[in-house]
Amino acid sequence: MSKKKQPVGVAIDDVTIKGVDGLQLSINDEVIGTVMPLEGGSFEAQIGSERPVKVKTQDEAVEYVIQTYNLHH
């Protein structure tokens, strides 16, 4: 039998890292990644100690963090 899919709540909190305001994503009080703005209007998504990924929009960065988390868990 297959398991039923259960919704998972993702918390998005405002944080300030090194003087820059960004977002911190967490699931069940476990931080899964951060989204930080860059100069020029783009954003940087980072999961744990992995190399940051540059994307065009904040929504793309949030989606990237969640998708990458889902791939590894």
Side-chain angles (χ1 to χ4, degrees), residues 8-32:
V8 175
V10 177
I12 301 176
D13 301 308
D14 294 326
V15 293
T16 302
I17 300 173
K18 297 180 183 175
V20 179
D21 294 331
L23 301 176
Q24 177 175 295
L25 286 78
S26 56
I27 295 176
N28 297 330
D29 296 328
E30 176 190 351
V31 175
I32 61 171

Side-chain angles (χ1 to χ4, degrees), residues 20-69:
V20 179
D21 294 331
L23 301 176
Q24 177 175 295
L25 286 78
S26 56
I27 295 176
N28 297 330
D29 296 328
E30 176 190 351
V31 175
I32 61 171
T34 57
V35 174
M36 303 301 286
L38 298 172
E39 292 180 17
S42 59
F43 290 84
E44 181 178 83
Q46 184 166 9
I47 294 112
S49 61
E50 291 183 20
R51 216 171 168 177
V53 175
K54 185 177 176 181
V55 294
K56 293 180 182 178
T57 67
Q58 186 176 26
D59 289 340
E60 283 182 60
V62 170
E63 285 181 31
Y64 174 81
V65 171
I66 294 171
Q67 287 176 351
T68 304
Y69 175 81

